[in-house]
Amino acid sequence: SQTIHQWPATLVQPVGSPLSLECTVEGTSNPNLYWYRQAAGRGLQLLFYSVGIGQISSEVPQNLSASRPQDRQFILSSKKLLLSDSGFYLCAWSEGANTEAFFGQGTRLTVV
Amino acid sequence: QKEVEQDPGPLSVPEGAIVSLNCTYSNSAFQYFMWYRQYSRKGPELLMYTYSSGNKEDGRFTAQVDKSSKYISLFIRDSQPSDSATYLCAMSNDYKLSFGAGTTVTVRA
């Protein structure tokens, strides 16, 4: 069966520091991969999605970037964090277009 | 206007009641419809999914889609305290999933 791993679960970082969040999927090949951010009491905002290695689509201009160095690995990065980057970050995968997505357990990022 | 509108609630019901959750959408290109349950500080968990208009049942859960009205619903029968969570509707157009803001539900014992 497929599983998705996302770490760390919690992170506190100072303003201006770099960020690297990692997500890996097991038990499937060539998944679509997604990064979402969820602000308190709000819905999920799609940040990036990838349909293959090295293929990244950005949904909103921001202080973040994403990379997919391997088929089942998706990384969310920032060179310099802002206070507004605080939030709950979720990685997800799906098998193709117009199919259900499965989520990791999320990373709660607090920028101080 | 948001692509997906969902009343954030909160919604509080007694144990055993029917919970009714709704979303409307504006993009007629959406083809796949999902409901997720999210407990506090956890990732969303897929509850139900469907392609077509009509009803789909799974145990105590019924998902309903009306594409002509751009309206989807989730009904939870015989609600339990363990159903207390935030429920998110989602819909897809090709590779992108768009989510509602989520409705927070509390089932009182």
Side-chain angles (χ1 to χ4, degrees), chain A residues 10 32 34 36 38 41-44 46 49 51 59 88 90 94 96-106 108, chain B residues 8 29 31-32 34 36 38 40-46 49 51 88 92-102:
Chain A
T10 306
N32 296 327
Y34 305 85
Y36 286 88
Q38 187 176 33
R42 300 181 66 179
L44 276 69
L46 178 61
Y49 70 95
V51 299
E59 285 298 297
F88 191 45
L90 289 155
S94 68
N98 293 313
T99 62
E100 61 273 23
F102 300 93
F103 285 84
Q105 287 304 293
R108 188 159 302 280
Chain B
Q31 300 180 42
Y32 200 80
M34 292 150 278
Y36 288 83
Q38 186 177 24
S40 180
R41 308 180 80 85
K42 299 291 185 182
E45 170 194 10
L46 180 68
Y49 58 92
Y51 280 105
L88 298 152
S92 72
N93 173 23
D94 201 10
Y95 294 102
K96 299 184 192 178
L97 275 74
S98 298
F99 284 82

Side-chain angles (χ1 to χ4, degrees), chain B residues 21-72:
Chain B
L21 304 166
N22 309 297
C23 289
T24 58
Y25 61 96
S26 57
N27 188 349
S28 58
F30 286 136
Q31 300 180 42
Y32 200 80
F33 304 91
M34 292 150 278
W35 285 95
Y36 288 83
R37 177 174 62 196
Q38 186 177 24
Y39 293 114
S40 180
R41 308 180 80 85
K42 299 291 185 182
E45 170 194 10
L46 180 68
L47 278 179
M48 297 192 71
Y49 58 92
T50 182
Y51 280 105
S52 56
S53 284
N55 293 352
K56 180 178 180 180
E57 277 194 30
D58 184 2
R60 296 185 296 112
F61 299 90
T62 299
Q64 190 175 77
V65 174
D66 182 345
K67 289 188 178 180
S68 62
S69 301
K70 299 189 180 68
Y71 187 89
I72 68 171

Side-chain angles (χ1 to χ4, degrees), chain A residues 16-104:
Chain A
S17 64
L19 172 74
S20 181
L21 302 180
E22 190 164 341
C23 172
T24 60
V25 180
E26 295 178 357
T28 187
S29 296
N30 196 31
N32 296 327
L33 297 172
Y34 305 85
W35 279 110
Y36 286 88
R37 178 168 57 202
Q38 187 176 33
R42 300 181 66 179
L44 276 69
Q45 179 189 31
L46 178 61
L47 302 175
F48 301 95
Y49 70 95
S50 172
V51 299
I53 295 175
Q55 300 178 60
I56 309 293
S57 297
S58 174
E59 285 298 297
V60 292
Q62 57 207 329
N63 187 41
L64 301 169
S65 62
S67 61
R68 185 171 178 172
Q70 300 181 41
D71 181 44
R72 290 169 290 175
Q73 183 185 28
F74 206 23
I75 298 172
L76 183 69
S77 303
S78 173
K79 292 182 179 178
K80 289 185 178 182
L81 284 169
L82 306 172
L83 287 174
S84 58
D85 291 325
S86 294
F88 191 45
Y89 289 83
L90 289 155
C91 181
W93 74 273
S94 68
E95 283 192 334
N98 293 313
T99 62
E100 61 273 23
F102 300 93
F103 285 84

